[in-house]
Short mmCIF file of all heavy atoms in Angstrom, two decimals:
data_model
loop_
_atom_site.label_atom_id
_atom_site.label_comp_id
_atom_site.label_asym_id
_atom_site.label_seq_id
_atom_site.Cartn_x
_atom_site.Cartn_y
_atom_site.Cartn_z
N ASP A 1 -15.70 1.55 15.24
CA ASP A 1 -16.47 2.20 14.18
C ASP A 1 -15.83 3.48 13.66
O ASP A 1 -16.52 4.45 13.32
CB ASP A 1 -17.90 2.49 14.65
CG ASP A 1 -18.66 1.22 15.02
OD1 ASP A 1 -18.52 0.24 14.27
OD2 ASP A 1 -19.35 1.22 16.04
N LEU A 2 -14.52 3.51 13.62
CA LEU A 2 -13.79 4.63 13.04
C LEU A 2 -13.37 4.24 11.62
O LEU A 2 -12.60 3.31 11.42
CB LEU A 2 -12.57 4.98 13.88
CG LEU A 2 -12.87 5.70 15.20
CD1 LEU A 2 -11.65 5.67 16.12
CD2 LEU A 2 -13.29 7.14 14.95
N ASP A 3 -13.90 4.95 10.65
CA ASP A 3 -13.58 4.66 9.26
C ASP A 3 -12.12 4.99 8.98
O ASP A 3 -11.62 6.02 9.44
CB ASP A 3 -14.49 5.48 8.34
CG ASP A 3 -14.28 5.12 6.88
OD1 ASP A 3 -14.10 3.93 6.58
OD2 ASP A 3 -14.27 6.04 6.04
N PHE A 4 -11.45 4.13 8.24
CA PHE A 4 -10.05 4.38 7.93
C PHE A 4 -9.71 3.90 6.53
O PHE A 4 -10.42 3.10 5.93
CB PHE A 4 -9.12 3.72 8.95
CG PHE A 4 -9.16 2.21 8.96
CD1 PHE A 4 -8.23 1.47 8.26
CD2 PHE A 4 -10.13 1.53 9.69
CE1 PHE A 4 -8.26 0.08 8.27
CE2 PHE A 4 -10.18 0.15 9.72
CZ PHE A 4 -9.23 -0.59 9.00
N GLN A 5 -8.63 4.47 6.03
CA GLN A 5 -8.11 4.12 4.71
C GLN A 5 -6.76 3.45 4.86
O GLN A 5 -5.94 3.85 5.69
CB GLN A 5 -7.96 5.40 3.87
CG GLN A 5 -7.36 5.20 2.49
CD GLN A 5 -7.16 6.52 1.77
OE1 GLN A 5 -6.19 7.23 2.02
NE2 GLN A 5 -8.09 6.85 0.89
N VAL A 6 -6.53 2.41 4.08
CA VAL A 6 -5.22 1.77 4.02
C VAL A 6 -4.43 2.42 2.89
O VAL A 6 -4.96 2.64 1.80
CB VAL A 6 -5.34 0.25 3.79
CG1 VAL A 6 -3.97 -0.37 3.50
CG2 VAL A 6 -5.98 -0.42 5.00
N ILE A 7 -3.17 2.76 3.16
CA ILE A 7 -2.29 3.31 2.12
C ILE A 7 -1.14 2.34 1.88
O ILE A 7 -0.45 1.91 2.81
CB ILE A 7 -1.73 4.68 2.54
CG1 ILE A 7 -2.86 5.71 2.66
CG2 ILE A 7 -0.71 5.16 1.52
CD1 ILE A 7 -2.39 7.10 2.98
N MET A 8 -0.95 2.01 0.60
CA MET A 8 0.11 1.08 0.20
C MET A 8 1.08 1.81 -0.72
O MET A 8 0.69 2.40 -1.73
CB MET A 8 -0.51 -0.11 -0.54
CG MET A 8 0.48 -1.16 -1.01
SD MET A 8 -0.38 -2.46 -1.96
CE MET A 8 0.95 -3.66 -2.13
N ALA A 9 2.37 1.80 -0.38
CA ALA A 9 3.41 2.40 -1.21
C ALA A 9 4.00 1.32 -2.10
O ALA A 9 4.56 0.34 -1.61
CB ALA A 9 4.49 3.04 -0.35
N LEU A 10 3.89 1.49 -3.41
CA LEU A 10 4.13 0.40 -4.36
C LEU A 10 5.55 0.44 -4.94
O LEU A 10 6.01 1.48 -5.43
CB LEU A 10 3.11 0.50 -5.49
CG LEU A 10 2.88 -0.73 -6.36
CD1 LEU A 10 2.43 -1.92 -5.52
CD2 LEU A 10 1.83 -0.40 -7.43
N GLN A 11 6.21 -0.71 -4.89
CA GLN A 11 7.53 -0.89 -5.50
C GLN A 11 7.63 -2.34 -5.95
O GLN A 11 6.68 -3.13 -5.81
CB GLN A 11 8.63 -0.53 -4.51
CG GLN A 11 8.57 -1.32 -3.21
CD GLN A 11 9.74 -1.03 -2.30
OE1 GLN A 11 10.84 -1.50 -2.54
NE2 GLN A 11 9.50 -0.23 -1.25
N GLN A 12 8.78 -2.74 -6.53
CA GLN A 12 8.92 -4.11 -7.02
C GLN A 12 8.70 -5.13 -5.91
O GLN A 12 8.06 -6.16 -6.12
CB GLN A 12 10.32 -4.30 -7.63
CG GLN A 12 10.53 -3.64 -8.97
CD GLN A 12 11.91 -3.94 -9.54
OE1 GLN A 12 12.64 -4.81 -9.06
NE2 GLN A 12 12.27 -3.21 -10.59
N ARG A 13 9.22 -4.84 -4.74
CA ARG A 13 9.22 -5.81 -3.65
C ARG A 13 7.81 -6.24 -3.24
O ARG A 13 7.60 -7.36 -2.79
CB ARG A 13 9.97 -5.25 -2.45
CG ARG A 13 10.30 -6.29 -1.38
CD ARG A 13 11.00 -5.66 -0.19
NE ARG A 13 12.17 -4.90 -0.57
CZ ARG A 13 12.97 -4.28 0.30
NH1 ARG A 13 12.71 -4.33 1.59
NH2 ARG A 13 14.02 -3.60 -0.11
N ASN A 14 6.83 -5.34 -3.39
CA ASN A 14 5.49 -5.67 -2.92
C ASN A 14 4.43 -5.63 -4.02
O ASN A 14 3.24 -5.64 -3.72
CB ASN A 14 5.07 -4.75 -1.77
CG ASN A 14 4.95 -3.30 -2.19
OD1 ASN A 14 5.36 -2.90 -3.27
ND2 ASN A 14 4.37 -2.50 -1.31
N SER A 15 4.85 -5.59 -5.28
CA SER A 15 3.87 -5.44 -6.36
C SER A 15 2.91 -6.63 -6.46
O SER A 15 1.77 -6.48 -6.90
CB SER A 15 4.58 -5.23 -7.70
OG SER A 15 5.38 -6.36 -8.04
N LEU A 16 3.36 -7.82 -6.05
CA LEU A 16 2.50 -9.00 -6.09
C LEU A 16 1.58 -9.09 -4.86
O LEU A 16 0.75 -10.00 -4.77
CB LEU A 16 3.34 -10.27 -6.19
CG LEU A 16 4.21 -10.40 -7.44
CD1 LEU A 16 5.03 -11.68 -7.39
CD2 LEU A 16 3.35 -10.37 -8.71
N GLU A 17 1.73 -8.15 -3.95
CA GLU A 17 0.97 -8.17 -2.71
C GLU A 17 -0.39 -7.46 -2.83
O GLU A 17 -1.18 -7.49 -1.88
CB GLU A 17 1.76 -7.49 -1.59
CG GLU A 17 3.01 -8.24 -1.16
CD GLU A 17 2.64 -9.48 -0.34
OE1 GLU A 17 1.97 -9.33 0.71
OE2 GLU A 17 3.04 -10.58 -0.74
N ILE A 18 -0.66 -6.83 -3.96
CA ILE A 18 -1.90 -6.04 -4.08
C ILE A 18 -3.15 -6.86 -3.78
O ILE A 18 -3.99 -6.43 -2.96
CB ILE A 18 -1.99 -5.37 -5.47
CG1 ILE A 18 -0.91 -4.30 -5.60
CG2 ILE A 18 -3.36 -4.73 -5.67
CD1 ILE A 18 -0.85 -3.64 -6.97
N PRO A 19 -3.36 -8.03 -4.39
CA PRO A 19 -4.58 -8.79 -4.07
C PRO A 19 -4.69 -9.12 -2.58
O PRO A 19 -5.78 -9.04 -2.00
CB PRO A 19 -4.45 -10.06 -4.91
CG PRO A 19 -3.56 -9.66 -6.05
CD PRO A 19 -2.57 -8.69 -5.46
N GLY A 20 -3.57 -9.47 -1.97
CA GLY A 20 -3.60 -9.79 -0.55
C GLY A 20 -3.92 -8.57 0.31
O GLY A 20 -4.65 -8.68 1.31
N VAL A 21 -3.40 -7.41 -0.05
CA VAL A 21 -3.69 -6.19 0.70
C VAL A 21 -5.16 -5.80 0.52
O VAL A 21 -5.79 -5.32 1.46
CB VAL A 21 -2.75 -5.05 0.26
CG1 VAL A 21 -3.18 -3.72 0.90
CG2 VAL A 21 -1.31 -5.37 0.67
N VAL A 22 -5.71 -6.03 -0.68
CA VAL A 22 -7.15 -5.77 -0.89
C VAL A 22 -7.98 -6.64 0.04
O VAL A 22 -8.90 -6.16 0.73
CB VAL A 22 -7.55 -6.03 -2.36
CG1 VAL A 22 -9.07 -5.97 -2.53
CG2 VAL A 22 -6.88 -5.02 -3.28
N ARG A 23 -7.66 -7.93 0.10
CA ARG A 23 -8.41 -8.84 0.97
C ARG A 23 -8.24 -8.47 2.44
O ARG A 23 -9.21 -8.46 3.21
CB ARG A 23 -7.94 -10.29 0.74
CG ARG A 23 -8.34 -10.88 -0.60
CD ARG A 23 -8.12 -12.37 -0.63
NE ARG A 23 -6.69 -12.71 -0.46
CZ ARG A 23 -5.83 -12.83 -1.47
NH1 ARG A 23 -6.23 -12.62 -2.72
NH2 ARG A 23 -4.57 -13.16 -1.25
N LEU A 24 -7.02 -8.15 2.83
CA LEU A 24 -6.76 -7.81 4.22
C LEU A 24 -7.48 -6.50 4.59
O LEU A 24 -8.03 -6.38 5.70
CB LEU A 24 -5.25 -7.67 4.45
CG LEU A 24 -4.76 -7.61 5.89
CD1 LEU A 24 -5.30 -8.77 6.72
CD2 LEU A 24 -3.23 -7.62 5.92
N SER A 25 -7.49 -5.53 3.69
CA SER A 25 -8.19 -4.28 3.93
C SER A 25 -9.68 -4.54 4.14
O SER A 25 -10.31 -3.95 5.03
CB SER A 25 -7.99 -3.32 2.75
OG SER A 25 -6.63 -3.00 2.58
N ARG A 26 -10.23 -5.42 3.33
CA ARG A 26 -11.65 -5.78 3.47
C ARG A 26 -11.90 -6.47 4.81
O ARG A 26 -12.83 -6.12 5.53
CB ARG A 26 -12.06 -6.71 2.32
CG ARG A 26 -13.51 -7.21 2.40
CD ARG A 26 -13.72 -8.37 1.45
NE ARG A 26 -12.85 -9.50 1.80
CZ ARG A 26 -12.27 -10.30 0.90
NH1 ARG A 26 -12.43 -10.10 -0.39
NH2 ARG A 26 -11.52 -11.30 1.31
N ASP A 27 -11.05 -7.43 5.15
CA ASP A 27 -11.25 -8.20 6.38
C ASP A 27 -11.09 -7.33 7.63
O ASP A 27 -11.72 -7.58 8.66
CB ASP A 27 -10.26 -9.37 6.44
CG ASP A 27 -10.51 -10.40 5.34
OD1 ASP A 27 -11.61 -10.37 4.73
OD2 ASP A 27 -9.61 -11.21 5.07
N LEU A 28 -10.23 -6.30 7.52
CA LEU A 28 -10.01 -5.42 8.67
C LEU A 28 -11.05 -4.31 8.76
O LEU A 28 -11.07 -3.56 9.75
CB LEU A 28 -8.61 -4.80 8.58
CG LEU A 28 -7.45 -5.77 8.82
CD1 LEU A 28 -6.13 -5.14 8.36
CD2 LEU A 28 -7.36 -6.16 10.29
N GLY A 29 -11.88 -4.17 7.72
CA GLY A 29 -12.95 -3.19 7.77
C GLY A 29 -12.58 -1.81 7.24
O GLY A 29 -13.27 -0.83 7.55
N ALA A 30 -11.52 -1.73 6.40
CA ALA A 30 -11.14 -0.43 5.83
C ALA A 30 -12.20 0.05 4.86
O ALA A 30 -12.80 -0.74 4.12
CB ALA A 30 -9.79 -0.54 5.13
N GLY A 31 -12.40 1.37 4.83
CA GLY A 31 -13.36 1.93 3.88
C GLY A 31 -12.78 2.07 2.49
O GLY A 31 -13.51 2.06 1.50
N SER A 32 -11.46 2.21 2.40
CA SER A 32 -10.82 2.38 1.10
C SER A 32 -9.36 1.96 1.18
O SER A 32 -8.78 1.84 2.25
CB SER A 32 -10.92 3.84 0.62
OG SER A 32 -10.30 4.72 1.53
N LEU A 33 -8.79 1.72 0.00
CA LEU A 33 -7.38 1.38 -0.14
C LEU A 33 -6.79 2.33 -1.17
O LEU A 33 -7.29 2.41 -2.30
CB LEU A 33 -7.21 -0.07 -0.60
CG LEU A 33 -5.82 -0.47 -1.12
CD1 LEU A 33 -4.76 -0.35 -0.03
CD2 LEU A 33 -5.85 -1.89 -1.70
N LYS A 34 -5.74 3.05 -0.81
CA LYS A 34 -5.06 3.96 -1.73
C LYS A 34 -3.68 3.40 -2.05
O LYS A 34 -2.89 3.12 -1.13
CB LYS A 34 -4.95 5.35 -1.12
CG LYS A 34 -4.43 6.42 -2.07
CD LYS A 34 -4.68 7.80 -1.46
CE LYS A 34 -4.27 8.91 -2.44
NZ LYS A 34 -2.85 9.18 -2.40
N ILE A 35 -3.41 3.22 -3.33
CA ILE A 35 -2.14 2.67 -3.77
C ILE A 35 -1.31 3.79 -4.38
O ILE A 35 -1.72 4.41 -5.36
CB ILE A 35 -2.36 1.54 -4.80
CG1 ILE A 35 -3.20 0.42 -4.17
CG2 ILE A 35 -1.03 0.99 -5.29
CD1 ILE A 35 -3.62 -0.66 -5.15
N ASN A 36 -0.16 4.08 -3.79
CA ASN A 36 0.70 5.17 -4.23
C ASN A 36 1.97 4.63 -4.86
O ASN A 36 2.77 3.97 -4.18
CB ASN A 36 1.09 6.05 -3.04
CG ASN A 36 -0.07 6.81 -2.45
OD1 ASN A 36 -1.03 7.14 -3.14
ND2 ASN A 36 0.01 7.11 -1.16
N PRO A 37 2.22 4.91 -6.14
CA PRO A 37 3.55 4.61 -6.70
C PRO A 37 4.61 5.45 -5.99
O PRO A 37 4.33 6.56 -5.52
CB PRO A 37 3.41 5.04 -8.16
CG PRO A 37 1.94 5.04 -8.44
CD PRO A 37 1.29 5.44 -7.14
N LEU A 38 5.82 4.94 -5.88
CA LEU A 38 6.88 5.68 -5.21
C LEU A 38 7.31 6.88 -6.04
O LEU A 38 7.17 6.91 -7.26
CB LEU A 38 8.10 4.78 -5.00
CG LEU A 38 7.95 3.55 -4.12
CD1 LEU A 38 9.33 3.01 -3.75
CD2 LEU A 38 7.15 3.85 -2.87
N ILE A 39 7.83 7.89 -5.34
CA ILE A 39 8.43 9.03 -6.00
C ILE A 39 9.91 9.09 -5.63
O ILE A 39 10.29 8.69 -4.52
CB ILE A 39 7.72 10.35 -5.65
CG1 ILE A 39 7.73 10.60 -4.13
CG2 ILE A 39 6.29 10.35 -6.18
CD1 ILE A 39 7.14 11.94 -3.73
N PRO A 40 10.76 9.55 -6.55
CA PRO A 40 12.22 9.53 -6.30
C PRO A 40 12.68 10.69 -5.44
O PRO A 40 13.49 11.52 -5.84
CB PRO A 40 12.80 9.61 -7.72
CG PRO A 40 11.76 10.33 -8.51
CD PRO A 40 10.43 9.93 -7.93
N CYS A 41 12.15 10.75 -4.23
CA CYS A 41 12.52 11.80 -3.27
C CYS A 41 12.91 11.14 -1.96
O CYS A 41 12.44 10.04 -1.64
CB CYS A 41 11.34 12.75 -3.03
SG CYS A 41 10.74 13.60 -4.51
N GLY A 42 13.71 11.83 -1.15
CA GLY A 42 14.10 11.29 0.14
C GLY A 42 14.75 9.92 -0.02
O GLY A 42 15.61 9.71 -0.87
N ARG A 43 14.33 8.98 0.80
CA ARG A 43 14.88 7.62 0.71
C ARG A 43 14.47 6.93 -0.58
O ARG A 43 15.11 5.96 -1.01
CB ARG A 43 14.42 6.80 1.91
CG ARG A 43 14.94 7.30 3.25
CD ARG A 43 14.67 6.29 4.36
NE ARG A 43 14.89 6.90 5.66
CZ ARG A 43 13.95 7.01 6.60
NH1 ARG A 43 12.72 6.56 6.39
NH2 ARG A 43 14.23 7.59 7.75
N GLY A 44 13.39 7.41 -1.20
CA GLY A 44 12.95 6.82 -2.46
C GLY A 44 13.97 6.96 -3.57
O GLY A 44 13.96 6.18 -4.53
N ARG A 45 14.87 7.93 -3.45
CA ARG A 45 15.90 8.10 -4.48
C ARG A 45 16.74 6.83 -4.64
O ARG A 45 17.10 6.44 -5.76
CB ARG A 45 16.83 9.26 -4.10
CG ARG A 45 16.23 10.65 -4.28
CD ARG A 45 17.25 11.69 -3.84
NE ARG A 45 16.76 13.04 -3.98
CZ ARG A 45 16.85 13.78 -5.07
NH1 ARG A 45 17.41 13.26 -6.14
NH2 ARG A 45 16.39 15.01 -5.10
N ARG A 46 17.05 6.20 -3.50
CA ARG A 46 17.89 5.01 -3.56
C ARG A 46 17.17 3.87 -4.28
O ARG A 46 17.80 3.12 -5.04
CB ARG A 46 18.28 4.58 -2.15
CG ARG A 46 19.19 3.37 -2.12
CD ARG A 46 19.66 3.06 -0.70
NE ARG A 46 20.50 1.89 -0.67
CZ ARG A 46 21.08 1.41 0.42
NH1 ARG A 46 20.90 2.03 1.58
NH2 ARG A 46 21.83 0.33 0.36
N ILE A 47 15.87 3.75 -4.04
CA ILE A 47 15.11 2.69 -4.71
C ILE A 47 15.16 2.88 -6.23
O ILE A 47 15.36 1.92 -6.99
CB ILE A 47 13.65 2.68 -4.21
CG1 ILE A 47 13.63 2.19 -2.75
CG2 ILE A 47 12.77 1.79 -5.08
CD1 ILE A 47 12.26 2.17 -2.13
#
């Protein structure tokens, strides 16, 4: 009974995964899902 949020970092490789992550978040009992577009910092620069 610990409320938690799922965080998804979005890029081309997983852009089609959003509906599946929504369903999985629901099935796992997450209270919310936060979708973050990538930023060009750190390792993100290479992407």
Side-chain angles (χ1 to χ4, degrees):
D1 298 319
L2 286 165
D3 185 40
F4 65 96
Q5 177 184 79
V6 171
I7 295 184
M8 180 183 189
L10 198 58
Q11 56 175 284
Q12 286 183 12
R13 193 182 306 182
N14 65 348
S15 63
L16 298 178
E17 292 286 303
I18 292 176
V21 172
V22 172
R23 290 192 298 270
L24 193 52
S25 299
R26 177 194 61 217
D27 294 345
L28 290 166
S32 60
L33 166 63
K34 188 166 184 278
I35 301 173
N36 293 331
L38 298 194
I39 58 175
C41 300
R43 296 191 193 120
R45 286 179 180 272
R46 182 174 179 178
I47 291 179

